[in-house]
Amino acid sequence: MIPRQNASNYLWIGVLLFGFASWELVARLRLLPSSNLPAFSSVLEVFLVSIQQPAFLFRIAHSFMNLLCGLVLAFSIALPMAFIAGSKNPFDVTMTPLVMIFGALPDLSFLPLLVLWFGAGDTAAVIMASVAAFFPIYFTVREGTKNIPRELYDVTTIFNSNRVSTFTKMVLPAISPHMFSGLRLAYDFDWEIIIAIEIATKVAGIGNFIEGQVSTGSLTQGFAAILAIALLAVAVDKTFFGTLESWSKKWS
Amino acid sequence: MKKHLELDNVTKYYAEQQKQLHALHQVSFDIDHGEFVSIVGPSGCGKSTLLKIIAGLDSPSSGEVRVRGSPVHGPQSKISMVFQAFGLFPWRTVLENTEYGLEMRNVPKSERRDIARHHLEMVGLGGYEHMYPKQLSGGMKQRVGIARALAVDPEVILMDEAFSAIDEVTADVLREEVTSIHKETGKTFVLVTHNLPEAIELADKVVVLSSRPAKVKKIFQVDLNRPRDRAHELFIHMHRDILHLLKEELENTLLRHKLRGVKELSDIHDMENPGKP
């Protein structure tokens, strides 16, 4: 017997399967023309073949690497800035309004400029991804830093902690729940950004592949690629971010 | 007994929104080795500021604090502290919290585990090592705070309203345990509290501070045998005397505020009715 609570945790799988079944039914009954909607079974078939092709996998890896580089770049700039903004008020009142103005602009509006400066390639894609990832990381880490109780700093001082261990053993774990949600948001944003850039600038990743397939009428192949990205995105979300989250849930 | 801590004309000013706040005014008293001292005063008088200065978490504007004759500049390894809101790291287990101070002193892991376990046993938390603070009651959290303070083997333990965030029955038990820890270890304790019976019950000496800027109003020696009976005649007398002093302070403060209010009212009157008396 599965306890009721656990059973409801897996309800989403049932809903998903129902969605796929309805999709299959709509296609089989030809409620939509097959040139607009191939059957789910044929998409699955193509998907299973595609993921054994190195060229296909390489395209996914290419997009994923650009995304990761953007995320790491954003994290390494946003973390120290957000920490200083969260702990030093004069810096916060100067910096945060500027960050907010910058962040209010639609991220993709920078893309033509980035292409002009860096060419239509990986550099522009990585920088664009890091711009999009910057804001969720900055604001969550800043918020987390502001929420650290004054008393915890006193504890580190009383027990003679140096600056490095105060940061690594007190500040970082204290802000980690905020930081993890910021990273997760940034990761989700970045998938959208990366795919959009590839479609717009012909970077040879999976987004560009989908566009190529759909525009030449290979809808089944296009859907198979979308399915592949969805699976990768969900897998990383569930394993990597899921692990981080369950660690912080243990104590927070 | 020799002087352990000396407070010598400790004065503190704060700059707050372009106004200068006079928190402490020439506070002087001594604390002997192994003595338990309670500091009481009207709320907001600067008791906690004084404790922070003794801890080296804050520095005086003038005057100094000396430990064994040498001035305090910043935190000292001889001084440890128990915090009002416990100050535990929520991501660390009970054991990891207790060994934090030792970890900062680079004590090898197995050694610090043993020391931390010993102190957890001492405060009655053996068997709770692997729990997280969120799983503990307030009283248990403060036991961890006390174990962590003791684990670094300090000479002085400062307690900032250490029992005020705990329910009264638990606090009562914990106070008894602190009394026996004080007796067993012979360490010097300084407790800041607004709870008068608590101050008298625990201390050898009660320092009463005035309202802001805080000065030493009076020092009471508590010559009562431990464990102390709150219904004892001397206990009740001392409680009444200290309460009387504090009420006096409170009334003075209210009077000052009233006078200031009257002055402000007359200022407004002057502004609204120029030329009239």
Side-chain angles (χ1 to χ4, degrees), chain B residues 28-98:
Chain B
S28 299
F29 60 91
D30 298 335
I31 298 171
D32 291 334
H33 275 277
E35 199 173 24
F36 200 124
V37 172
S38 294
I39 301 173
V40 298
S43 49
C45 79
K47 307 185 283 281
S48 290
T49 304
L50 185 62
L51 200 70
K52 282 195 164 188
I53 290 173
I54 299 174
L57 289 172
D58 204 342
S59 52
S61 306
S62 66
E64 64 180 14
V65 175
R66 292 185 289 271
V67 183
R68 289 179 183 273
S70 50
V72 169
H73 299 293
Q76 311 261 310
S77 58
K78 299 169 201 155
I79 299 179
S80 195
M81 192 159 174
V82 177
F83 295 85
Q84 180 173 14
F86 321 121
L88 301 182
F89 298 130
W91 55 91
R92 286 180 165 240
T93 62
V94 165
L95 186 65
E96 288 164 348
N97 265 295
T98 311

Side-chain angles (χ1 to χ4, degrees), chain A residues 151 154 159 169 249-251, chain B residues 52 85 87 90 103-104 134:
Chain A
E151 203 174 65
D154 286 345
F159 292 106
K169 300 200 166 170
K249 270 203 181 130
K250 216 164 54 174
W251 54 264
Chain B
K52 282 195 164 188
E103 194 179 325
M104 292 302 110
K134 74 164 180 182

Side-chain angles (χ1 to χ4, degrees), chain B residues 239-252:
Chain B
H239 183 264
R240 198 185 49 205
D241 290 349
I242 298 176
L243 196 62
H244 181 75
L245 278 180
L246 289 178
K247 274 189 175 161
E248 210 175 84
E249 274 309 306
L250 205 64
E251 275 158 18
N252 284 345

Side-chain angles (χ1 to χ4, degrees), chain A residues 62-85:
Chain A
H62 189 161
S63 302
F64 193 60
M65 277 313 291
N66 279 352
L67 183 148
L68 278 190
C69 290
L71 213 53
V72 169
L73 183 64
F75 184 70
S76 48
I77 299 169
L79 180 72
M81 275 179 69
F83 171 63
I84 297 170

